[in-house]
Amino acid sequence: MGKTPKHQPAEAWSGKPLLIGIGIMYAFIQLTTLTRVYALNYLDNLNSPSSEIIRDRLIATIVGLTFIYLIVTISRYFLRRNWPGFRIIVAHMLMVVPITFCWYFVFGRVALWFCQVFQDCEQNVDDLVYGYLLNANTLTMVYLLAVAVTYTYYYVRRDNENQLQQSKMETKVLQARMKMLRSQLHPHFLFNTLNSVNSLMDIDVKKAQVMIVDLADLLRKVLDWKDTQKVTLKDELSLLQRYVDIEKMRFSEDLSVDWEIDETVTDVKVPGLLLQPLVENAIHHGFSSDHLELQIKIAASRENGHLVLRVSDDGQGFLEEEKEAIFEQGTGLQNTRERLRTMYDKDFRFDVYNTHPGVISEVAIPIRKKE
């Protein structure tokens, strides 16, 4: 099989925490073994010096940690090679006996050498094979434990890294989607505003010129937000005021706009250009042959941990049978709903309903302390 992909970060294979963890576990095993050997020495009247017992356990710990490092290194090698599970199991089954035998052999020779140096224990050489068979179960269990902990550690780490990469990819996709939705608003907004300018050209050229200047300022601000998904409500209302001024210049006294803003929520972050489509929709659908004047009210308040934004008008409204399809009929409302869904998942509310006369568009989004 192939080696670990080059793009995988080197720190993904850092074994320091793993080795420390296994080392602590093995040291604890040797500590419990020390108490067992000491108890057996007392109960069987073996009269072995305490120094010998302690020294043997220290030697066993050092030699054991050396071989555990070897086992972990081999296991990591298999992981890098991306071997299939069956092949890894067979490889460990073939290696467990020779590695644990070498483990026992090295421990026995080192312990014997210390006996010869300190001359505080019997310098006899036990039968190597039978001595190994006597300790094979313990050595094999430690070998398997080291392998199991190693694979568990790295598979969990791999899973966490994959989740992190997936989260990053989802974030990039989300950002791309938000930019796409924002980019859809710009030409739609510009097209409708230019229509307003065009309508005014036949009535009052000077007002149309002033409107074009205001439109340039407005577009400059919109372009400043091209890479910003969220702005403060204060900035959103400031931009909306410029749009309202343009529309009031077009409709003159026929359009009036009232503001009811709770000052305690002006620092809350909201999606940029959230309110403009709602106001534009109210103007576009509010005027009719039966409603030659239009009053719009823009409100912002705090309710149950949410920022609630309302755009209401006293215009013609819509037919009840059109309610189900209202989000599919225009770019503004449809785009707004998709942006809210993308940014807040299910933690938002966006309703449009008749009030007879007029319509209310209401958005509720969570107030988050850190954004």
Side-chain angles (χ1 to χ4, degrees), residues 315-332:
Q316 65 174 339
F318 54 84
L319 300 176
E320 284 300 320
E321 54 267 27
E322 297 176 348
K323 185 175 182 179
E324 296 299 324
I326 193 170
F327 287 102
E328 310 299 330
Q329 294 175 351
T331 302

Side-chain angles (χ1 to χ4, degrees), residues 262-282:
D262 182 352
E263 294 298 326
T264 65
V265 297
T266 54
D267 290 331
V268 176
K269 291 291 186 70
V270 299
L273 287 178
L274 173 64
L275 291 172
Q276 185 274 331
L278 306 185
V279 175
E280 179 183 332
N281 189 71

Side-chain angles (χ1 to χ4, degrees), residues 140-166:
T140 301
M141 290 301 297
V142 174
Y143 179 100
L144 296 177
L145 177 63
V147 170
V149 172
T150 300
Y151 283 111
T152 300
Y153 173 82
Y154 282 111
Y155 279 124
V156 169
R157 193 176 182 110
R158 274 183 175 179
D159 183 63
N160 290 338
E161 289 175 355
N162 290 336
Q163 290 182 5
L164 179 60
Q165 290 298 324
Q166 182 179 357

Side-chain angles (χ1 to χ4, degrees), residues 93-220:
M93 289 178 62
L94 293 175
M95 290 189 301
V96 62
V97 172
I99 289 180
T100 54
F101 183 83
C102 291
W103 186 343
Y104 177 76
F105 175 80
V106 171
F107 165 72
R109 289 302 176 267
V110 174
L112 179 60
W113 181 81
F114 272 97
C115 277
Q116 293 172 348
V117 171
F118 290 97
Q119 297 181 351
D120 59 350
C121 55
E122 296 182 7
Q123 300 179 16
N124 56 350
V125 180
D126 296 330
D127 187 286
L128 186 61
V129 175
Y130 283 100
Y132 167 72
L133 293 177
L134 186 63
N135 294 275
N137 62 330
T138 301
L139 295 174
T140 301
M141 290 301 297
V142 174
Y143 179 100
L144 296 177
L145 177 63
V147 170
V149 172
T150 300
Y151 283 111
T152 300
Y153 173 82
Y154 282 111
Y155 279 124
V156 169
R157 193 176 182 110
R158 274 183 175 179
D159 183 63
N160 290 338
E161 289 175 355
N162 290 336
Q163 290 182 5
L164 179 60
Q165 290 298 324
Q166 182 179 357
S167 176
K168 289 181 179 179
M169 288 298 296
E170 290 176 351
T171 300
K172 290 181 179 179
V173 171
L174 175 63
Q175 291 174 347
R177 178 174 174 80
M178 290 306 304
K179 287 184 178 180
M180 179 194 70
L181 292 170
R182 281 286 300 274
S183 66
Q184 288 177 358
L185 276 180
H186 295 169
H188 178 260
F189 160 74
L190 179 60
F191 176 77
N192 285 284
T193 307
L194 287 176
N195 275 342
S196 299
V197 175
N198 183 58
S199 301
L200 194 60
M201 287 291 291
D202 297 330
I203 304 173
D204 192 328
V205 176
K206 290 186 177 180
K207 280 189 175 182
Q209 291 173 340
V210 173
M211 185 184 291
I212 291 174
V213 174
D214 290 341
L215 176 60
D217 291 338
L218 180 60
L219 290 178
R220 188 179 296 110

Side-chain angles (χ1 to χ4, degrees), residues 20-71:
I20 292 175
I22 294 180
I24 293 174
M25 290 171 54
Y26 186 69
F28 181 76
I29 291 174
Q30 288 300 324
L31 181 61
T32 57
T33 303
L34 172 64
T35 59
R36 182 176 64 86
V37 172
Y38 184 81
L40 289 175
N41 181 69
Y42 174 80
L43 295 174
D44 295 340
N45 295 317
L46 298 178
N47 298 320
S48 297
S50 298
S51 60
E52 177 192 353
I53 297 174
I54 295 174
R55 186 177 67 239
D56 280 353
R57 289 308 96 203
L58 289 175
I59 294 171
T61 301
I62 295 172
V63 173
L65 290 176
T66 302
F67 276 88
I68 285 174
Y69 177 79
L70 173 64
I71 295 167

Side-chain angles (χ1 to χ4, degrees), residues 69-83:
Y69 177 79
L70 173 64
I71 295 167
V72 171
T73 302
I74 293 172
S75 300
R76 288 172 58 185
Y77 173 78
F78 292 160
L79 281 167
R80 287 194 179 98
R81 300 286 294 182
N82 289 323
W83 283 9

